[in-house]
Amino acid sequence: MKKLFTLLLLCACFLTPIHADEGMWLPSLIGERIKDMKRKGFKLSAEDIYSINKASMKDAVVQFGGGCTGEFVSKEGLLLTNHHCGYGSIQQLSSVEHDYLTDGFWALSREQELPVPGLTVSLLVKMEDVTERINKGEKAADIAKAAATGEGYRASVEPMYYGNQHFLFVYQTYRDVRLVGAPPSSIGKFGGDTDNWIWPRHTGDFSIFRVYAGEDNQPADYSKDNKPYQPKRHFAVSTKGVKEGDFTMIYGFPGNTQEYVTSDAVEYVAEISDPMKIDLRTQRLDIISAAQAEDVAVRIQYASKHASIANAWKKWQGEVLGLRRLQTVESKKAYETEFAAWAADKPEYKDLLANMSVSYDKAKKEYFVRELFNESLGGIEALSLANSLLTMKSRAKDAEIFAKSAKASHAGFMKNYSVAIDRKIAHAMLAEFLKRMPEGGVPEALTAAIEAKGGVAAYVDYLYDNTKITSPDFDPATLESDPMAELATILTPMRQQIAKVAYRNLSNIPDVEQWYRPYMRALREWDKERAFYPDANFTLRVAYGKVAGYEYADGEYHNPVTSIDGIIAKDDPNIYDYNIPQSLRDIYARKDYGRWASQIGDRESVAVCFLATNHTSGGNSGSPVINGKGELIGINFDRTWRSTMSDIEFDPSICRNISVDIRYVLFVVDRIGGASYLLEEMDLK
Ligand code: ARG
Ligand code: ASP
């Protein structure tokens, strides 16, 4: 009886429909979700989201730069994304005289907009299910090549559900993109790394660009004669604001999720990989932070490095907590037991899990070595420089060309480099690498080199006492005899070996992926009630949910909307990340919010950020947040750190994405930037 009851309970929880609001859906198949979306407050049709025949919302969404999302908000190619997505471009355009990162930038006319060399945005022309063609034997590369026919077109065929389906994506890439506006970092990056992944949040994480095109509206190289690109569709902007319970939809390019991996993979992430990476990064961050606290110049030099090391470091901590709290390993194991019972009499599926487990035993070891190598030795800056100069040398046509490019890249490196920090990191990371490498894995030549100097510490001191690569007058002609280059060369075979296991994630290693394909097919045959969606892979997706707070801790509810009152509460001229512009203080003192005022709780203020239940991931930064009428209400930029396990398991009670309220964006453009003319080309509702 008890057994039966447990079984019923298991079935009840595993076979219920997918968690509310979980999922990143393919736009061309959104028709399958539209009923649910409408029930939750969406007022438009599937054709409005994605259409092959007419303009649809997808024409207003772009992939911005390498890994972010952006959206058009005017018929003149005006584009919004995050400040942290525009950061590299803003930095690239900055100089000592024009520090746009610190001070912000506002073009007060089209002529003042700044071209960003190298920056591109890509629009999805169309997507198409090509599974049958692939199954009939056509090559993915041929299909893609045949589809990339227009100006600036690029196409790729992407596997979905571990290769059970294949979709063709055709993009058009525009390459004249100009910076129009960016708030000062004290707004755009308000709270810095301290507030990163955190709620309550008060970051005005937006920047504004404009896409330009040739006479014919097609992609063109930069020219002052280019015209603003006229998108087929842009978003109207809602100024009505949001409240708890409102429908939200996110349209963007999430990068990497692994929702269907087995308990083996989750256990590896939660118990081996994440803890190792967190631990090594804690050591690096401690060394960097200590040096930053002592020297303002070093603080600036290492700000961006610190931010990028800390970003994933914090994310992984939330992921581990989340996976443990959800007991994902245990629940996946139970799910697999159920599956195995179902598969027992099906010859094509019955050995799947056992085979997968064998493959994982091997794959996990290789994957760990790769991760350890990257996180430990990869953190030693001088070693990475030596390695990239060696590669440069092997590719350069002659010594003169090499010397020139090596000098340039060395100079770039030295701008933001502290040898004192790097030496400390090298001591720590080399020791960690040796300690954590599996038996017999350390290259013999490395062991010999270390022994020759009498131990790890002595070896690292020898490297830094003798290398010339860390000094300003480094001569590229001496590269090969430099001790740092010698170490790089010792590690080359290992690096090459690792490059072979450079897969996107733990379920994408060929050895295990061969089992995931039938496993995924079997899951869909077996678990009929579950609403499956393909894992994120930087292709365009729709996620929908609602504005919602959550219970952060026992008795502690986090409201879903923040306001500038919270900015003022955190304001501190002595802390770099919390030192807001004087103009914002003045506006607050006068309560001079004009049309941007709104009622927040019992007071009049300006809304800044909001939480919602959308399933998002890295790559969704900059994504448009859309209300039920298809109007823009915010720009997505983050999640709370305790929800980051959503890349593996989504928990509707905890998982929240963080967006900047579009009214705060407009307020900053208007009142801080003095660029209200930009509002005139938007459709404000
Ligand atoms: N956590 C966000 C994301 O993963 C924002 C990162 C940028 N901000 C920062 N303070 N490092 O990209
Ligand atoms: N901040 C992330 C990004 O840059 C978004 C996320 O991971 O939630 O895409």
Side-chain angles (χ1 to χ4, degrees), residues 92 146 232 261 264 459 522 581 585 667:
Q92 185 183 332
K232 291 202 194 86
V261 292
D264 269 342
Y459 177 63
R585 290 186 191 118
F667 165 85

Side-chain angles (χ1 to χ4, degrees), residues 84 189 192-193 196-197 307 311 621 637-638:
H84 82 260
K189 208 172 177 282
D193 280 334
N196 191 23
W197 301 111
N311 191 42
S621 276
F637 70 96
D638 207 4

Side-chain angles (χ1 to χ4, degrees), residues 68 82-85 188-198 201 203 205 303-304 306-312 314-315 577 617-619 621 637-639 644:
C68 280
N82 291 144
H83 185 264
H84 82 260
C85 296
K189 208 172 177 282
F190 180 78
D193 280 334
T194 317
D195 283 13
N196 191 23
W197 301 111
I198 293 286
R201 188 66 156 275
T203 311
D205 198 343
S304 166
H306 189 284
S308 74
I309 300 168
N311 191 42
K314 207 158 173 182
K315 189 210 141 166
D577 287 330
S617 189
S621 276
F637 70 96
D638 207 4
R639 284 168 285 169
T644 52

Side-chain angles (χ1 to χ4, degrees), residues 107-239:
L108 295 180
S109 68
R110 298 263 161 100
E111 291 69 46
Q112 289 181 7
E113 295 173 357
L114 299 175
V116 188
L119 178 62
T120 60
V121 303
S122 296
L123 283 89
L124 181 67
V125 178
K126 64 166 181 181
M127 57 187 290
E128 202 178 294
D129 189 339
V130 293
T131 312
E132 268 181 41
R133 293 170 65 183
I134 294 280
N135 289 349
K136 279 191 192 133
E138 270 188 80
K139 290 237 161 28
D142 295 339
I143 296 176
K145 200 168 162 209
T149 49
E151 171 60 41
Y153 275 33
R154 96 187 134 80
S156 65
V157 171
E158 302 293 341
M160 303 288 166
Y161 300 114
Y162 296 97
N164 284 296
Q165 266 173 275
H166 292 269
F167 274 76
L168 168 69
F169 292 84
V170 182
Y171 301 94
Q172 190 172 29
T173 300
Y174 282 80
R175 52 191 188 271
D176 182 355
V177 185
R178 304 183 194 173
L179 178 65
V180 174
S185 287
S186 55
I187 287 179
K189 208 172 177 282
F190 180 78
D193 280 334
T194 317
D195 283 13
N196 191 23
W197 301 111
I198 293 286
W199 187 261
R201 188 66 156 275
H202 300 90
T203 311
D205 198 343
F206 78 93
S207 57
I208 310 178
F209 292 81
R210 193 186 302 280
V211 179
Y212 280 79
E215 203 63 58
D216 51 1
N217 209 33
Q218 296 300 307
D221 289 334
Y222 168 79
S223 154
K224 65 175 179 21
D225 300 328
N226 283 348
K227 302 265 178 317
Y229 169 68
Q230 301 186 343
K232 291 202 194 86
R233 180 74 178 258
H234 65 270
F235 288 109
V237 176
S238 168
T239 58

Side-chain angles (χ1 to χ4, degrees), residues 5-18:
F5 182 71
T6 323
L7 203 71
L8 280 175
L9 210 81
L10 279 175
C11 294
C13 72
F14 293 130
L15 298 181
T16 42
I18 199 158

Side-chain angles (χ1 to χ4, degrees), residues 418-439:
S418 153
V419 66
I421 291 179
D422 199 31
R423 183 194 280 252
K424 285 201 181 112
I425 287 181
H427 272 288
M429 292 300 109
L430 186 58
E432 290 289 348
F433 172 75
L434 297 171
K435 189 174 91 191
R436 291 170 191 255
M437 269 301 279
E439 192 69 33

